[in-house]
Amino acid sequence: MKTISLSLLIISTALIISFSSCTEESCNQDTEVFMKAGFYSSETEEKISIDSLDIYGLNVPDSIICSMSTLNEVSLPLNPSSSSCTFAIVNGGRADTIEIFYKSSLEFLSLACGYRYLHELEEIYNTRNDIKDIFILNKSVNPGDEENVQIFF
Amino acid sequence: MRKMCKYFFSLSILLMPLLLDAQEADTVQASKSISVGFDLTGPVLYALDNSKYSLEGHLSYRLNYKYYLVCEPGYSDYSYEQYNYEYNSRGWFIRLGTDIGMLAPVASKINHYAGIGFRYGLSVFEQETPVINIRNYWGDINTSLSENTVHAHFLEIQGGIKTEVFRNFLIGWSVKLRTLVYSSGKDDRKAVYIPGYGPTGATFTPAVSYYIIYRFPFRDSSGE
């Protein structure tokens, strides 16, 4: 029994040390979510690609999200410290702005990742130079692939 | 988890000689007793990493050679810090349950224990996140979550051994696996670390305890 006790003492000490040194983990989750906007034709209601597209946030220095790109959808980062934010969408020289209103809430992810913000869309307003209309499809801005907004040109 | 399985396997091999000897003829009656002890793991881990402080007692009442009623109260103070947030939780916990001994009731083993245990755990604690830093396209966001009270319920299964090294003085350890049943903290208030349970990231949370115990046998019991 004394031999067993000694073995147990050694094993348990090893266990304690191994447990204390194995608590670190790395973050492999998305720590930021984006509002996903798809581009559609107002005539055919089909998804279309827009050429020479510039997108940037208003009042953000060096804020180009995409420049001279051809895209049929874009992922836009919302501002968690405000209840609204505005993006400029420039299509071949014709500029529009979209102003998005939403509520933000924190979510705890994991010990390694910490917290991230999720958003719930409320309203979107836009100018109508090139954009014809905008519809909210899915109010929850979360890590999924589902489109949140349809933008009709 | 694979490592844990290895440990369990090694430990079961270690226990085999004790369990296989169960056919001895000198069966004795186990005295009822109360055992009082504490878990040395908390202070040892605190010495290695002072972000976790945990003190845990161990009280058990031996009904007979096989069954024990167990109460494990404790207090824990935990803090975690990394580049994008800081988190603190502190509070009390209690685990209640039973230990089931698997040693034969023979004279050579009656004062030792090897077996499995089941626990229900309750933890009531305060948690806060004083610093959250999130950097995104719009700049840096600095925020915090104020202190709130959370209660959590969990279940535990464990296997362990306790050996009498001197008369009525035991040392031993147990390897534990816990699962969270309910926590009142949701979304941004989700508990990161529950006192008496551990981190909440996985479905099952492993733990180890190393006990130092003193046994008070009842005088009117026989068989010691």
Side-chain angles (χ1 to χ4, degrees), chain A residues 19-75:
Chain A
F19 266 101
S20 68
S21 61
C22 288
T23 51
E24 293 298 323
E25 53 177 304
S26 59
C27 176
N28 51 16
Q29 293 168 281
D30 294 329
T31 54
E32 190 175 0
V33 298
F34 297 90
M35 188 192 82
K36 289 160 279 294
F39 302 143
Y40 292 84
S41 161
S42 58
E43 293 170 359
T44 63
E45 298 190 351
E46 296 288 316
K47 202 160 191 177
I48 54 169
S49 292
I50 307 291
D51 300 327
S52 309
L53 201 60
D54 291 344
I55 300 177
Y56 56 89
L58 281 193
N59 306 318
V60 186
D62 303 322
S63 64
I64 289 288
I65 292 170
C66 61
S67 177
M68 299 303 285
S69 305
T70 300
L71 300 171
N72 64 3
E73 61 182 17
V74 67
S75 296

Coordinates of all heavy atoms in Angstrom, one line a residue, chain A residues 19-75:
Chain A
F19 N -2.3 19.7 -15.9 CA -3.6 20.5 -16.0 C -3.3 22.0 -16.0 O -3.9 22.7 -16.7 CB -4.5 20.1 -14.8 CG -5.5 19.1 -15.2 CD1 -5.3 17.8 -14.8 CD2 -6.6 19.3 -16.0 CE1 -6.2 16.7 -15.1 CE2 -7.5 18.3 -16.3 CZ -7.3 17.0 -15.9
S20 N -2.4 22.4 -15.1 CA -2.1 23.8 -15.0 C -1.4 24.3 -16.2 O -1.5 25.5 -16.5 CB -1.2 24.1 -13.8 OG 0.0 23.5 -14.0
S21 N -0.7 23.5 -17.0 CA 0.0 23.9 -18.2 C -0.8 23.7 -19.4 O -0.3 24.1 -20.5 CB 1.4 23.3 -18.2 OG 1.2 21.9 -18.3
C22 N -2.0 23.1 -19.4 CA -2.7 22.8 -20.6 C -3.9 23.7 -20.8 O -4.8 23.3 -21.5 CB -3.1 21.3 -20.6 SG -1.7 20.2 -20.9
T23 N -4.0 24.8 -20.1 CA -5.2 25.6 -20.2 C -5.2 26.6 -21.3 O -6.3 27.1 -21.7 CB -5.4 26.4 -18.9 OG1 -4.2 27.0 -18.6 CG2 -5.8 25.4 -17.7
E24 N -4.1 26.8 -21.9 CA -4.0 27.8 -23.0 C -4.7 27.2 -24.3 O -4.5 26.0 -24.6 CB -2.5 28.1 -23.3 CG -1.9 28.9 -22.2 CD -2.5 30.3 -22.0 OE1 -2.9 30.9 -22.9 OE2 -2.6 30.6 -20.8
E25 N -5.4 28.0 -25.0 CA -6.0 27.6 -26.3 C -6.0 28.7 -27.2 O -5.8 29.9 -26.8 CB -7.4 27.1 -26.0 CG -8.3 28.1 -25.3 CD -9.7 27.6 -25.2 OE1 -10.3 27.3 -26.2 OE2 -10.2 27.6 -24.1
S26 N -6.1 28.4 -28.5 CA -6.1 29.5 -29.5 C -7.5 29.8 -30.0 O -8.3 28.9 -30.0 CB -5.1 29.2 -30.6 OG -5.6 28.0 -31.2
C27 N -7.7 31.0 -30.4 CA -9.0 31.5 -30.9 C -9.1 31.1 -32.4 O -8.4 31.5 -33.2 CB -9.2 33.0 -30.7 SG -10.7 33.6 -31.4
N28 N -10.1 30.3 -32.7 CA -10.4 29.9 -34.1 C -11.8 30.2 -34.5 O -12.3 29.5 -35.4 CB -10.0 28.4 -34.4 CG -10.6 27.5 -33.4 OD1 -11.6 27.9 -32.7 ND2 -10.2 26.3 -33.3
Q29 N -12.4 31.2 -33.9 CA -13.8 31.6 -34.2 C -13.7 33.0 -34.9 O -12.8 33.7 -34.6 CB -14.7 31.6 -33.0 CG -14.9 30.2 -32.4 CD -15.5 30.2 -31.1 OE1 -14.9 30.5 -30.1 NE2 -16.8 30.0 -31.0
D30 N -14.8 33.3 -35.6 CA -14.9 34.7 -36.1 C -15.2 35.7 -35.0 O -16.2 35.5 -34.4 CB -16.0 34.7 -37.2 CG -15.7 33.9 -38.4 OD1 -14.5 33.8 -38.7 OD2 -16.6 33.4 -39.0
T31 N -14.3 36.6 -34.8 CA -14.5 37.6 -33.7 C -15.2 38.9 -34.2 O -15.5 39.8 -33.5 CB -13.2 38.0 -33.1 OG1 -12.3 38.4 -34.1 CG2 -12.6 36.8 -32.3
E32 N -15.5 38.9 -35.5 CA -16.2 40.1 -36.1 C -17.3 39.6 -37.1 O -17.0 38.6 -37.8 CB -15.2 41.0 -36.8 CG -15.9 42.3 -37.2 CD -14.9 43.3 -37.8 OE1 -13.7 43.0 -37.9 OE2 -15.3 44.4 -38.1
V33 N -18.5 40.2 -37.0 CA -19.5 39.8 -38.0 C -19.7 41.0 -39.0 O -19.5 42.2 -38.6 CB -20.8 39.5 -37.3 CG1 -20.6 38.2 -36.4 CG2 -21.4 40.6 -36.5
F34 N -20.2 40.7 -40.1 CA -20.4 41.7 -41.2 C -21.8 41.6 -41.7 O -22.4 40.5 -41.8 CB -19.4 41.4 -42.4 CG -18.0 41.5 -42.0 CD1 -17.3 40.4 -41.5 CD2 -17.3 42.8 -42.0 CE1 -16.0 40.5 -41.1 CE2 -16.0 42.9 -41.6 CZ -15.3 41.8 -41.2
M35 N -22.3 42.8 -42.1 CA -23.6 42.8 -42.8 C -23.4 42.5 -44.2 O -22.6 43.1 -44.9 CB -24.2 44.2 -42.7 CG -25.7 44.3 -43.2 SD -26.3 46.0 -43.4 CE -25.6 46.4 -45.0
K36 N -24.1 41.4 -44.7 CA -23.9 41.0 -46.1 C -24.9 41.5 -47.0 O -26.1 41.3 -46.8 CB -23.9 39.4 -46.1 CG -22.6 38.9 -45.4 CD -22.7 37.4 -45.0 CE -23.5 37.3 -43.7 NZ -22.8 37.8 -42.5
A37 N -24.4 42.3 -48.0 CA -25.4 42.9 -49.0 C -25.1 42.3 -50.3 O -24.0 42.3 -50.8 CB -25.1 44.4 -49.0
G38 N -26.2 41.9 -51.0 CA -26.1 41.4 -52.3 C -26.6 42.4 -53.3 O -27.5 43.2 -53.0
F39 N -26.0 42.4 -54.6 CA -26.4 43.4 -55.6 C -27.4 42.7 -56.6 O -27.1 41.6 -57.1 CB -25.2 43.9 -56.3 CG -24.2 44.5 -55.4 CD1 -22.8 44.3 -55.6 CD2 -24.6 45.3 -54.3 CE1 -21.9 44.9 -54.7 CE2 -23.6 45.8 -53.4 CZ -22.3 45.7 -53.6
Y40 N -28.5 43.4 -56.9 CA -29.5 42.9 -57.8 C -29.9 43.9 -58.8 O -29.8 45.1 -58.6 CB -30.7 42.5 -57.0 CG -30.5 41.3 -56.0 CD1 -29.9 41.5 -54.8 CD2 -30.8 40.0 -56.4 CE1 -29.6 40.5 -53.9 CE2 -30.5 39.0 -55.6 CZ -30.0 39.2 -54.3 OH -29.7 38.1 -53.5
S41 N -30.4 43.4 -59.9 CA -30.9 44.2 -61.0 C -32.3 44.6 -60.7 O -33.2 43.7 -60.3 CB -30.9 43.5 -62.3 OG -31.7 44.1 -63.2
S42 N -32.6 45.9 -60.8 CA -34.0 46.3 -60.4 C -35.0 45.9 -61.6 O -36.2 45.8 -61.4 CB -34.1 47.8 -60.3 OG -33.6 48.5 -61.4
E43 N -34.4 45.6 -62.7 CA -35.3 45.2 -63.9 C -35.6 43.7 -63.8 O -36.7 43.3 -63.9 CB -34.6 45.5 -65.2 CG -34.5 47.0 -65.4 CD -33.6 47.4 -66.6 OE1 -33.1 46.5 -67.2 OE2 -33.5 48.6 -66.8
T44 N -34.5 42.9 -63.7 CA -34.8 41.4 -63.7 C -34.9 40.8 -62.3 O -35.3 39.6 -62.2 CB -33.6 40.7 -64.5 OG1 -32.4 41.0 -63.7 CG2 -33.4 41.3 -65.9
E45 N -34.5 41.5 -61.3 CA -34.4 41.0 -59.9 C -33.4 39.9 -59.8 O -33.5 39.1 -58.8 CB -35.8 40.7 -59.4 CG -36.7 41.9 -59.4 CD -38.0 41.6 -58.6 OE1 -38.3 40.4 -58.3 OE2 -38.8 42.6 -58.4
E46 N -32.5 39.7 -60.7 CA -31.5 38.7 -60.7 C -30.2 39.3 -60.0 O -30.0 40.5 -60.1 CB -31.1 38.2 -62.1 CG -32.2 37.5 -62.9 CD -32.5 36.1 -62.3 OE1 -31.5 35.4 -62.0 OE2 -33.7 35.8 -62.2
K47 N -29.4 38.5 -59.4 CA -28.2 38.9 -58.8 C -27.2 39.4 -60.0 O -27.1 38.7 -61.0 CB -27.5 37.8 -58.0 CG -26.6 38.3 -57.0 CD -26.3 37.3 -55.9 CE -25.6 38.0 -54.7 NZ -25.4 37.1 -53.6
I48 N -26.6 40.5 -59.8 CA -25.7 41.0 -60.8 C -24.4 41.5 -60.2 O -24.3 41.7 -59.0 CB -26.3 42.3 -61.6 CG1 -26.7 43.3 -60.5 CG2 -27.5 41.9 -62.4 CD1 -27.1 44.7 -61.1
S49 N -23.3 41.5 -61.1 CA -22.0 42.0 -60.7 C -21.9 43.5 -61.1 O -22.4 43.9 -62.2 CB -20.9 41.2 -61.3 OG -20.9 39.9 -60.8
I50 N -21.4 44.3 -60.2 CA -21.2 45.7 -60.5 C -19.7 46.0 -60.7 O -18.9 45.6 -59.9 CB -21.7 46.6 -59.3 CG1 -23.1 46.2 -58.9 CG2 -21.6 48.1 -59.6 CD1 -24.2 46.6 -59.9
D51 N -19.4 46.6 -61.8 CA -18.0 46.9 -62.2 C -17.6 48.2 -61.5 O -18.4 49.1 -61.2 CB -17.9 47.1 -63.7 CG -18.2 45.8 -64.4 OD1 -18.0 44.8 -63.9 OD2 -18.8 45.9 -65.5
S52 N -16.3 48.4 -61.4 CA -15.6 49.6 -60.9 C -16.3 50.2 -59.7 O -16.7 51.3 -59.6 CB -15.7 50.7 -62.0 OG -15.3 50.2 -63.2
L53 N -16.4 49.3 -58.7 CA -17.2 49.7 -57.5 C -16.2 50.2 -56.4 O -15.2 49.5 -56.1 CB -17.9 48.4 -57.0 CG -19.1 48.6 -56.0 CD1 -20.2 49.5 -56.7 CD2 -19.6 47.3 -55.6
D54 N -16.5 51.3 -55.8 CA -15.7 51.8 -54.6 C -16.7 51.9 -53.5 O -17.8 52.4 -53.6 CB -15.2 53.2 -54.9 CG -14.1 53.3 -55.9 OD1 -13.6 52.2 -56.2 OD2 -13.8 54.4 -56.4
I55 N -16.3 51.3 -52.3 CA -17.2 51.4 -51.1 C -16.3 51.8 -50.0 O -15.2 51.2 -49.8 CB -17.8 50.0 -50.8 CG1 -18.7 49.6 -52.0 CG2 -18.7 50.1 -49.6 CD1 -19.3 48.2 -51.9
Y56 N -16.8 52.8 -49.2 CA -16.0 53.2 -48.0 C -17.0 53.8 -47.0 O -18.2 54.2 -47.3 CB -15.0 54.2 -48.4 CG -15.4 55.4 -49.1 CD1 -15.9 56.6 -48.4 CD2 -15.5 55.5 -50.5 CE1 -16.3 57.7 -49.1 CE2 -15.9 56.6 -51.2 CZ -16.3 57.7 -50.5 OH -16.7 58.8 -51.2
G57 N -16.6 53.8 -45.7 CA -17.4 54.3 -44.7 C -17.2 55.8 -44.6 O -16.1 56.3 -44.8
L58 N -18.3 56.5 -44.4 CA -18.2 58.0 -44.3 C -17.5 58.4 -43.0 O -17.8 57.8 -41.9 CB -19.6 58.6 -44.3 CG -20.3 58.8 -45.7 CD1 -21.5 59.7 -45.6 CD2 -19.3 59.3 -46.8
N59 N -16.7 59.4 -43.1 CA -16.0 60.0 -41.9 C -15.0 59.0 -41.3 O -14.8 59.1 -40.1 CB -17.0 60.5 -40.9 CG -18.0 61.4 -41.4 OD1 -17.7 62.3 -42.2 ND2 -19.3 61.2 -41.0
V60 N -14.5 58.1 -42.1 CA -13.5 57.2 -41.6 C -12.3 57.4 -42.5 O -12.3 57.2 -43.7 CB -13.9 55.7 -41.7 CG1 -12.8 54.8 -41.0 CG2 -15.2 55.5 -41.0
P61 N -11.1 57.9 -42.0 CA -10.0 58.1 -42.8 C -9.4 56.8 -43.3 O -9.4 55.8 -42.6 CB -9.0 58.9 -41.9 CG -9.5 58.8 -40.5 CD -11.0 58.4 -40.6
D62 N -8.9 56.8 -44.5 CA -8.3 55.6 -45.1 C -9.2 54.4 -45.0 O -8.9 53.4 -44.5 CB -6.9 55.3 -44.5 CG -6.0 56.4 -44.6 OD1 -6.0 57.1 -45.6 OD2 -5.2 56.7 -43.6
S63 N -10.5 54.6 -45.5 CA -11.5 53.7 -45.1 C -12.0 52.9 -46.3 O -13.1 52.3 -46.2 CB -12.6 54.4 -44.5 OG -13.2 55.3 -45.4
I64 N -11.2 52.7 -47.4 CA -11.7 52.0 -48.5 C -12.0 50.5 -48.2 O -11.1 49.9 -47.7 CB -10.7 52.1 -49.7 CG1 -10.7 53.5 -50.3 CG2 -11.0 51.1 -50.8 CD1 -11.9 53.9 -51.1
I65 N -13.2 50.1 -48.4 CA -13.5 48.7 -48.2 C -13.2 47.9 -49.5 O -12.7 46.8 -49.5 CB -15.0 48.5 -47.7 CG1 -15.1 49.1 -46.3 CG2 -15.4 47.0 -47.8 CD1 -16.6 49.2 -45.9
C66 N -13.6 48.5 -50.6 CA -13.2 47.9 -51.9 C -13.0 49.1 -52.9 O -13.6 50.1 -52.8 CB -14.2 46.9 -52.4 SG -15.8 47.5 -52.7
S67 N -12.1 48.9 -53.8 CA -11.7 49.9 -54.8 C -11.7 49.3 -56.2 O -10.9 48.4 -56.4 CB -10.4 50.6 -54.4 OG -10.1 51.5 -55.3
M68 N -12.4 49.9 -57.1 CA -12.5 49.5 -58.5 C -12.7 48.0 -58.6 O -12.0 47.3 -59.4 CB -11.2 49.9 -59.2 CG -10.9 51.4 -59.2 SD -12.3 52.3 -60.0 CE -12.0 52.0 -61.7
S69 N -13.6 47.5 -57.8 CA -13.8 46.0 -57.8 C -15.0 45.7 -58.6 O -15.9 46.5 -58.7 CB -13.9 45.6 -56.3 OG -12.8 46.0 -55.6
T70 N -15.0 44.4 -59.0 CA -16.3 43.9 -59.6 C -16.8 42.9 -58.6 O -16.2 41.8 -58.3 CB -15.9 43.2 -60.9 OG1 -15.3 44.1 -61.8 CG2 -17.2 42.6 -61.6
L71 N -18.0 43.2 -58.1 CA -18.6 42.4 -57.0 C -20.0 42.2 -57.2 O -20.7 43.0 -57.9 CB -18.4 43.1 -55.7 CG -17.0 43.4 -55.2 CD1 -17.1 44.3 -53.9 CD2 -16.3 42.2 -54.8
N72 N -20.5 41.0 -56.7 CA -22.0 40.8 -56.7 C -22.5 40.8 -55.3 O -23.7 40.7 -55.1 CB -22.4 39.6 -57.5 CG -21.9 38.3 -56.8 OD1 -21.2 38.4 -55.8 ND2 -22.1 37.2 -57.4
E73 N -21.6 41.0 -54.3 CA -22.1 41.2 -52.9 C -20.9 41.8 -52.2 O -19.7 41.7 -52.6 CB -22.5 39.9 -52.3 CG -21.4 38.8 -52.3 CD -21.9 37.5 -51.7 OE1 -23.2 37.3 -51.6 OE2 -21.1 36.7 -51.3
V74 N -21.2 42.3 -51.0 CA -20.1 42.9 -50.2 C -20.5 42.7 -48.7 O -21.7 42.6 -48.3 CB -20.0 44.4 -50.5 CG1 -21.2 45.2 -50.1 CG2 -18.7 45.0 -49.9
S75 N -19.5 42.5 -47.9 CA -19.6 42.4 -46.4 C -19.2 43.7 -45.8 O -18.1 44.1 -45.9 CB -18.8 41.3 -45.9 OG -19.2 40.0 -46.5

